[in-house]
Amino acid sequence: MDATTEDRLLDGRVMLRQPARGYRAGLDAALLAATCDAKAGERVLEAGCGAGGALLAAAVRRPATRFTGIERDPAALRLARENIALNGLDDRVEAVEGDVAVRFSGLGLEPFDAAFSNPPFFDDAGALRGPAPERRAAWMADDGLAAWIGFLSKAVREGGTITLIHRADRLADILALLGDKSGSVQIRPVHPFADEPAKRVIVRAIKTGKAPLKLLPPLVLHDRGGEKHRPEVEAILRGEAALPWG
């Protein structure tokens, strides 16, 4: 991870140094950050924060909230810490070493008010033609999706929120893994085009929540023959709009 680029997020409000090759923060991280609605004084955790793309974007969106990123890769963790300092957010954002395969209690942290994550999309090496070595850790969940959702569930207090973005075809697995300890589930499908199936889902659950499941209106990224993204998506990417919950 020696070669890095310096990129701007949220219409220039976030400066992000990230690997020139390997995992780079993109649309999924931007959408995940836009879902964060933590209140002033609350504490939010991101599991697998990488270089800090979603973590920093969420922190800039929620200026009165404290954030902690967990990352197991030493090079990514180093970049995350550099980016926190680069953006002058040391007073309320931190990145610490940690692995979702290890119990949350082993980190010595108090439960958070909210936790979010963009877990690796694959946990079966046979389901993916091997990514480049420098991208494998971001694409392959060595301990499976169960480890990520289990970690997020333990990381929040009762009544805390758990939010993740993942492949739409894993929705049934996500709901099963959330189990009966988390409820009040809300699901927002993300479609590339209005006439194509969703490729992503953003799922939020509340620990010990009891409200019925809600399927929210979809987010459609592109119009046929239009600009790169629909105007409402561009507004999210620029930080001018959030992605609210029902």
Side-chain angles (χ1 to χ4, degrees):
M1 200 180 288
D2 293 334
T4 61
T5 63
E6 196 166 281
D7 304 295
R8 297 279 183 167
L9 310 178
L10 296 185
D11 206 24
R13 286 187 289 156
V14 173
M15 186 181 299
L16 185 72
R17 291 175 181 162
Q18 56 182 337
R21 298 187 55 175
Y23 177 76
R24 293 172 56 80
L27 181 64
D28 291 342
L31 296 181
L32 187 62
T35 68
C36 182
D37 57 0
K39 299 179 179 64
E42 290 190 331
R43 299 168 55 250
V44 180
L45 175 138
E46 182 186 8
C49 68
L55 183 73
L56 293 169
V60 169
R61 284 176 170 275
R62 314 301 298 183
T65 304
R66 301 187 67 85
F67 290 83
T68 298
I70 303 294
E71 178 54 52
R72 73 174 186 177
D73 180 73
L77 179 61
R78 184 170 60 252
L79 276 178
R81 289 171 171 168
E82 289 178 5
N83 285 323
I84 291 168
L86 188 65
N87 288 276
L89 295 171
D90 313 65
D91 59 332
R92 60 184 184 88
V93 183
E94 65 175 349
V96 301
E97 182 180 0
D99 191 335
V100 299
V102 179
R103 293 176 63 89
F104 173 76
S105 58
L107 294 175
L109 299 172
E110 292 294 322
F112 288 79
D113 300 294
F116 65 83
S117 184
N118 179 12
F121 283 164
F122 298 91
D123 49 20
D124 176 7
L128 178 69
R129 293 182 179 177
E134 61 268 22
R135 302 192 69 180
R136 187 188 186 282
W139 282 85
M140 296 297 300
D142 293 332
D143 300 287
L145 185 57
W148 288 80
I149 292 179
F151 183 89
L152 294 170
S153 298
K154 292 291 187 181
V156 298
R157 60 171 174 76
E158 290 193 5
T161 62
I162 300 161
T163 308
L164 65 154
I165 185 167
H166 211 274
R167 290 162 36 203
D169 62 354
R170 296 300 302 274
L171 178 58
D173 297 325
I174 292 169
L175 296 178
L177 290 168
L178 286 169
D180 57 3
K181 293 184 179 180
S182 298
S184 306
V185 175
Q186 298 183 73
I187 303 165
R188 189 179 299 279
V190 182
H191 297 250
F193 297 96
D195 57 354
E196 289 189 4
K199 293 290 185 68
R200 299 281 186 270
V201 286
I202 308 173
V203 180
R204 167 167 290 191
I206 297 176
K207 189 170 182 176
T208 67
K210 302 297 182 183
L213 182 148
K214 289 183 181 180
L215 185 60
L216 301 178
L219 178 69
V220 179
L221 301 178
H222 312 283
D223 286 323
R224 297 286 182 189
E227 299 295 329
K228 184 177 180 182
H229 295 108
R230 299 180 79 177
E232 58 267 36
V233 179
E234 285 292 335
I236 291 170
L237 296 179
R238 291 193 299 268
E240 297 170 357
L243 198 50
W245 296 99

